[in-house]
């Protein structure tokens, strides 16, 4: 299908759902999904449900709230309390399954009480070929993925976002903070807070596509490969190292391969 045909298919799918609760993070995918749902169903039939969780940076949470309200959507906040699930906190390779189970169960419970018949997530067609155990949780709870069903890829979602004038069209990918913790290392609110403070140092320094991978006392920095020379400039390097140590790390390292999505999943490919 052409992009126009896929966009039409998305509208058709949405119109068939009735009242919908959109799991909203303020990222590229969920923002286009929310915009499309509002257009198809009207604001009275759409709720943007945002998770208030330690695994979501405060900056992202606040941006998501502003964005949803700015789009005219009903905005609701839930606490999925994934850290209360010992299986999630133990951080196995399928950690995302337990996280999404808590999240989508929380959204589904809220939706049932408030008369919203369908829960939607922002999975897209590219996600079908990636390692995403959270997808299984969504399927078990009957969560719909209309972007995926319409065959929309990330690049196409960005293109539709540009056409719609959405501020997220060029927004870099943003995964939850727990994705910075190697499998088997327990996930705690303290660790997530430490990672968030460390990444804020990089963002304050002007790095957009960046991660701080948590290895106990060691922080492993990933920035876009093209930004590595800037990071290694003596003055900035010292500022970043000082700030990340103040966030709670003893040693600060730079990954010379630069940022790549899901780098902690590389261990799964070798086992």
């Amino acid at each position: 299908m052409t992009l126009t045909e896929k966009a039409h298919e998305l509208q058709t799918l949405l119109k068939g759902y009735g009242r919908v609760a959109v799991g909203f993070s303020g990222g590229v995918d969920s923002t286009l999904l929310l915009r499309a749902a509002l257009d198809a169903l009207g604001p009275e039939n759409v709720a943007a449900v945002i998770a208030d969780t330690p695994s979501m940076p405060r900056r992202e949470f606040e941006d998501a709230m502003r964005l949803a309200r700015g789009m005219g959507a009903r905005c609701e906040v839930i606490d999925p309390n994934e850290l209360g699930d010992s299986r999630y906190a133990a951080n196995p390779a399928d950690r995302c399954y337990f996280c999404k189970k808590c999240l989508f169960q929380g959204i589904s419970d809220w939706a049932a009480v408030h008369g919203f018949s369908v829960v939607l997530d922002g999975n897209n067609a590219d996600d079908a070929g990636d390692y995403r155990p959270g997808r299984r949780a969504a399927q078990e709870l009957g969560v719909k993925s209309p972007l995926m069903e319409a065959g929309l890829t990330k690049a196409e979602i960005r293109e539709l976002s540009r056409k719609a004038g959405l501020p997220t069209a060029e927004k870099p990918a943003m995964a939850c903070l727990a994705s910075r913790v190697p499998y088997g290392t327990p996930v705690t609110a303290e660790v997530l807070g430490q990672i968030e403070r460390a990444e804020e140092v990089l963002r304050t320094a002007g790095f957009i596509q960046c991660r701080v991978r948590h290895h106990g006392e060691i922080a492993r920095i990933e920035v876009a490969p093209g930004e590595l020379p800037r990071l290694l400039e003596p003055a900035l390097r010292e500022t970043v190292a000082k700030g990340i140590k103040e966030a709670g790390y003893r040693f600060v390292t730079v990954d010379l391969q630069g940022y790549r999505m899901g780098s902690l999943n590389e261990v799964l490919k070798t086992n």
Side-chain angles (χ1 to χ4, degrees), residues 162-236:
R162 292 184 197 103
K163 290 180 178 180
L166 296 175
T168 51
E170 311 302 332
K171 185 174 182 178
M174 179 66 196
C176 78
L177 292 171
S179 68
R180 282 63 152 169
V181 185
Y183 297 123
T185 299
V187 177
T188 66
E190 291 73 25
V191 165
L192 296 174
Q194 184 176 351
I195 295 167
E196 181 176 1
R197 293 192 300 274
E199 289 195 352
E200 189 62 26
V201 173
L202 292 173
R203 296 189 186 282
T204 299
F207 296 98
I208 305 300
Q209 192 66 281
C210 57
R211 298 287 187 271
V212 173
R213 308 295 185 184
H214 176 90
H215 300 274
E217 295 182 323
I218 301 171
R220 175 167 60 89
I221 299 173
E222 294 178 14
V223 299
E227 291 193 292
L228 278 170
R230 177 171 170 260
L231 176 61
L232 296 177
E233 291 173 1
L236 184 56

Side-chain angles (χ1 to χ4, degrees), residues 19 21 47 49 74 76 78 105-119:
R19 304 188 78 210
V49 184
R74 174 176 179 175
E76 299 291 339
I78 65 165
Q105 188 63 66
I107 297 175
S108 296
D109 291 346
W110 180 89
V113 169
H114 293 88
F116 289 82
S117 54
V118 178
V119 175

Side-chain angles (χ1 to χ4, degrees), residues 115-129:
F116 289 82
S117 54
V118 178
V119 175
L120 308 181
D121 74 11
N123 275 295
N124 64 59
D126 290 336
D127 296 329

